[in-house]
Amino acid sequence: MIEGQFKRVKEATYLSTEKSETYRAILRFFYIQHERMREFLFPEEILAHLKQSAFFKTYSIDELHIDLASLTKWGNLLAQQESGNAKTIEEFKKKRFRYQCTPYTVEFERMLLNFEQAGDTFGGSLEKTQFERLYQSLQRVADSKNDNEEICAQYWDDVLTYFNKIRQNTSDYFAYLLSEDANEQMKSEAFLTYKDQFTTYLRDFIIALQRTASQIQGLLTSMERQQITHFFEKVVSHEGKTFRFEQFHIDPVAELDARWVNLKDWFLSGEDSQYEMLQRKTNDAIRRITRIVQRLGERNQQFRSRKEDYLHLAKWFADMNSIEEAHKLSSVAFGVFHTRHFYSDHIPTDDIYIDTWQETPMDHETQPRIREYRETTKPTEMTDHRLKKEETKRLHLEQRNAEKKVIESYMNESEILLHELPIVEPHVRKLLLSWIGKAMVREDHTIKTEYGMKVEVTLDRHEKVLLQSHDGTLEMPNVRFRFIREEVKA
């Protein structure tokens, strides 16, 4: 199946050969006549059409026959011998053909014509009415229990039409917004004229999208499987009445059902759905435009003359009655003069939770800024700090044991339930929050604490509790801390 499906497309050969200009001119004439419901063309009328262009002034009928034979060989044309209008034996013996373009050729030329009309930029749009029309079509599908097969087929065609338009137009439009040409246009000064119109366009679309998409999601969720299957059976029954010689070995109901699943996933597959992605892209586009407008405004502000502002401010100063009032106005207009910033590389503590006013003052030694200055050094003895280290270690362990006893006092058997806690100390609150943060980044939500205990953290996002402390109250989801006792292996 794969080998037959992805074989070389010989019908596309005419697009990339040395004589592509000639082949494309011939087949474009065939496509135009096909659209006018003229299926068969003779070489003479093809040559007459080509002669209207200066490029084919020297083009002969023999060259045309050779080119038509090549296109027939590649599968772009079908040749049919015409012998009904022969008037002499010579005309009957000389094979005379009329030509018809194949479906591949029609689709190629239709695609190329669309490319030529679209140009080098993406098209697309954000039509908020398309979602409303899709919702109305889905509502008719839901209410089609007593409708006949032809009407059901029309309903399904409307659903696919509006859904495909939504997918294609939105993806093309956002590709256009991210294109290099659109980026250059947004960076220009002329973009400021259209920023309000552009932002309103995006905002109106996302408002209509949120309002209508919720209705579509509710409708898709409410439609039962049996109801959809019965609807598809009527659609397939109507499509089966279309006479064709070819026989397709696929289940038409399963094919329609697959399209229905894609439609539901587009709206209902959670945060990864195309609907959610469309919302995110629209919001990102609004934020991006806001940033661009802000940068353009700042750039214009740099080059704007502030002469009038300074003259107005000078008039204020001239109208002051005393120097004290002028000082007050100056402090508001210009801030504090001759400010000094002090810097010290001394780090008094490694505790990230300590406040600035709780730290001890720092000593800073100012060194002379002269080239000849060298810091004097003298040999010193090696000081033994073992006693100091032992004392620091003892104090640290005592603090750890005290914190562990506080935590154990809040335990109910082997659990700590956040909503059952009384007023806790600030360091206990910080410790519990650190456990939550470490557990949320692990798949099993289980961590090992500073005290060697293993804790499983369970977060209930639907229930809010108040964690009270001496320095304030924190509203957060309810949390359960379950302490796991590790079994000792024999």
Side-chain angles (χ1 to χ4, degrees), residues 477-488:
N478 194 13
V479 182
R480 184 187 66 149
F481 300 91
R482 187 172 69 88
F483 294 85
I484 303 172
R485 300 184 182 277
E486 298 184 2
E487 298 181 357
V488 180

Side-chain angles (χ1 to χ4, degrees), residues 131 134 163 166-167 170 209 213 217 220 260-270 272-278:
F131 286 92
L134 176 61
F163 180 59
I166 289 172
R167 290 191 302 107
T170 53
L209 170 66
Q217 289 172 336
L220 292 173
W260 176 257
V261 171
N262 290 336
L263 173 61
K264 291 184 67 176
D265 289 344
W266 205 91
F267 287 96
L268 298 174
S269 58
D272 296 331
S273 66
Q274 295 296 317
Y275 161 68
E276 294 292 341
M277 185 180 298
L278 180 59

Side-chain angles (χ1 to χ4, degrees), residues 262-403:
N262 290 336
L263 173 61
K264 291 184 67 176
D265 289 344
W266 205 91
F267 287 96
L268 298 174
S269 58
E271 295 184 357
D272 296 331
S273 66
Q274 295 296 317
Y275 161 68
E276 294 292 341
M277 185 180 298
L278 180 59
Q279 284 197 100
R280 289 196 296 269
K281 284 188 175 182
T282 308
N283 288 325
D284 291 342
I286 294 176
R287 285 193 291 267
R288 179 163 160 255
I289 292 168
T290 304
R291 288 195 301 268
I292 291 174
V293 171
Q294 182 180 2
R295 285 197 294 266
L296 289 174
E298 292 174 352
R299 188 170 64 186
N300 292 336
Q301 191 72 15
Q302 294 176 356
F303 299 101
R304 187 176 68 88
S305 174
R306 301 195 64 185
K307 178 181 178 181
E308 297 295 330
D309 297 340
Y310 288 129
L311 288 175
H312 184 70
L313 189 59
K315 188 176 181 301
W316 277 5
F317 279 103
D319 294 339
M320 292 292 165
N321 297 323
S322 64
I323 189 64
E324 288 77 14
E325 293 181 358
H327 285 329
K328 293 179 180 179
L329 178 60
S330 173
S331 65
V332 175
F334 304 112
V336 181
F337 291 94
H338 310 298
T339 57
R340 293 185 179 182
H341 301 273
F342 295 95
Y343 168 78
S344 175
D345 55 358
H346 177 61
I347 302 176
T349 178
D350 294 329
D351 188 358
I352 63 174
Y353 298 110
I354 195 170
D355 295 318
T356 304
W357 49 83
Q358 295 176 342
E359 298 179 3
T360 57
M362 303 181 222
D363 295 330
H364 178 71
E365 181 182 355
T366 303
Q367 297 178 352
R369 295 187 178 181
I370 57 177
R371 186 177 301 176
E372 294 80 9
Y373 173 76
R374 294 290 185 271
E375 185 176 356
T376 59
T377 60
K378 60 180 180 179
T380 58
E381 70 278 1
M382 182 71 69
T383 307
D384 187 3
H385 296 288
R386 282 182 296 177
L387 295 178
K388 188 176 180 180
K389 290 180 180 179
E390 291 294 334
E391 181 65 17
T392 304
K393 180 179 178 182
R394 185 184 61 80
L395 293 175
H396 176 72
L397 292 177
E398 288 180 358
Q399 183 182 359
R400 286 291 188 188
N401 291 331
E403 292 176 354

Side-chain angles (χ1 to χ4, degrees), residues 391-423:
E391 181 65 17
T392 304
K393 180 179 178 182
R394 185 184 61 80
L395 293 175
H396 176 72
L397 292 177
E398 288 180 358
Q399 183 182 359
R400 286 291 188 188
N401 291 331
E403 292 176 354
K404 183 177 180 181
K405 289 180 181 179
V406 173
I407 293 296
E408 290 176 348
S409 66
Y410 294 132
M411 291 175 57
N412 184 6
E413 294 183 354
S414 62
E415 292 183 342
I416 294 180
L417 301 177
L418 209 61
H419 68 279
E420 296 181 354
L421 292 180
I423 299 177

Side-chain angles (χ1 to χ4, degrees), residues 14-187:
Y14 79 98
L15 295 172
S16 57
T17 64
E18 295 181 359
K19 298 182 65 178
S20 290
E21 295 88 351
T22 303
Y23 296 141
R24 290 193 59 189
I26 295 172
L27 294 182
R28 179 59 59 87
F29 181 62
F30 270 95
Y31 170 73
I32 294 173
Q33 299 305 315
H34 168 80
E35 294 293 299
R36 297 174 182 175
M37 303 184 69
R38 287 191 61 208
E39 299 300 328
F40 293 96
L41 299 177
F42 289 96
E44 291 78 12
E45 54 186 324
I46 299 172
L47 182 63
H49 168 74
L50 296 177
K51 286 287 188 179
Q52 297 176 7
S53 172
F55 184 77
F56 293 99
K57 284 296 183 181
T58 60
Y59 193 64
S60 64
I61 188 68
D62 294 331
E63 291 177 299
L64 177 61
H65 281 299
I66 296 174
D67 293 337
L68 291 175
S70 298
L71 292 172
T72 303
K73 177 183 177 181
W74 292 332
N76 298 109
L77 296 176
L78 297 175
Q80 182 177 352
Q81 186 174 359
E82 180 66 27
S83 58
N85 296 327
K87 298 179 181 179
T88 63
I89 296 176
E90 287 75 11
E91 290 181 359
F92 181 78
K93 289 182 178 181
K94 185 179 180 180
K95 292 182 180 180
R96 188 167 183 264
F97 293 97
R98 60 177 185 173
Y99 296 88
Q100 178 188 17
C101 58
T102 60
Y104 265 95
T105 304
V106 172
E107 293 301 326
F108 279 145
E109 289 300 315
R110 183 175 290 144
M111 176 185 66
L112 292 171
L113 193 60
N114 290 333
F115 285 162
E116 294 168 7
Q117 294 173 353
D120 295 333
T121 60
F122 286 99
S125 61
L126 300 179
E127 293 293 338
K128 55 186 179 181
T129 57
Q130 298 290 353
F131 286 92
E132 181 65 30
R133 293 171 184 170
L134 176 61
Y135 171 70
Q136 294 173 357
S137 300
L138 289 172
Q139 187 65 55
R140 287 192 288 267
V141 171
D143 300 335
S144 63
K145 182 178 180 181
N146 299 323
D147 293 330
N148 58 38
E149 298 172 352
E150 183 177 0
I151 295 178
C152 289
Q154 182 60 47
Y155 291 164
W156 178 243
D157 185 65
D158 292 342
V159 169
L160 291 182
T161 299
Y162 295 131
F163 180 59
N164 289 332
K165 284 184 178 180
I166 289 172
R167 290 191 302 107
Q168 180 177 350
N169 289 339
T170 53
S171 61
D172 287 353
Y173 190 74
F174 281 108
Y176 165 72
L177 290 183
L178 297 174
S179 64
E180 188 66 25
D181 182 61
N183 283 330
E184 292 299 325
Q185 293 290 337
M186 289 182 183
K187 294 176 183 178

